[in-house]
Amino acid sequence: QVQLVESGGGLVQAGGSLRLSCAVSGRTLSSGTMGWFRQAPGKEREFVVNINQITGRTYYADSVKGRFTISRDNAKNTVYLHMNSLKPEDTAVYYCAAANSVLYSSSYRPTNYPYWGQGTQVTVSS
């Protein structure tokens, strides 16, 4: 039904930038919520940012606010994560996720997203 495929990960030095892409198949970017999460080895999955597809409202984790930006291209059914001023602590597998309906106050919780990509590795060296 719904397929999410991330790409764009890689190795970058601290202070550098990367752009991740999430190609969406089986649905359009017209409703619901799209989000990015990350998970470092030995740690729980962590919320990064999301965007409401109808209102455009965004919600950023404090750890990435001012450095990361979420965007979308509806014609390509693709969501992007622009990452600037990367830090070693940003190293993780990054996942995109989708939900049909999520309350803003609960949209940071991974369990509220039924659709997930397979992840792309981001490694930031010091």
Side-chain angles (χ1 to χ4, degrees):
Q1 46 178 352
V2 178
Q3 298 285 343
L4 307 178
V5 181
E6 303 96 334
S7 63
L11 175 64
V12 64
Q13 292 187 355
S17 301
L18 282 175
R19 188 187 74 168
L20 306 183
S21 299
C22 177
V24 183
S25 300
R27 64 172 287 173
T28 60
L29 301 178
S30 60
S31 63
T33 300
M34 297 294 300
W36 288 94
F37 295 78
R38 64 188 183 185
Q39 188 166 20
K43 297 184 178 180
E44 295 183 349
R45 192 159 299 186
E46 176 189 26
F47 167 76
V48 177
V49 62
N50 64 33
I51 183 169
N52 184 291
Q53 296 290 75
I54 297 176
T55 67
R57 186 180 187 184
T58 57
Y59 178 23
Y60 290 87
D62 289 340
S63 60
V64 305
K65 191 176 299 181
R67 300 188 299 119
F68 291 10
T69 303
I70 189 170
S71 64
R72 58 191 173 181
D73 187 334
N74 290 339
K76 297 181 179 179
N77 285 325
T78 302
V79 179
Y80 303 97
L81 181 64
H82 304 262
M83 305 184 294
N84 300 312
S85 302
L86 284 163
K87 305 175 181 179
E89 50 264 45
D90 294 319
T91 296
V93 176
Y94 283 71
Y95 300 89
C96 68
N100 292 326
S101 180
V102 182
L103 290 174
Y104 178 79
S105 60
S106 301
S107 60
Y108 67 94
R109 297 173 176 169
T111 54
N112 288 328
Y113 294 77
Y115 309 110
W116 292 85
Q118 63 185 18
T120 184
Q121 176 70 46
V122 173
T123 302
V124 183
S125 62
S126 60

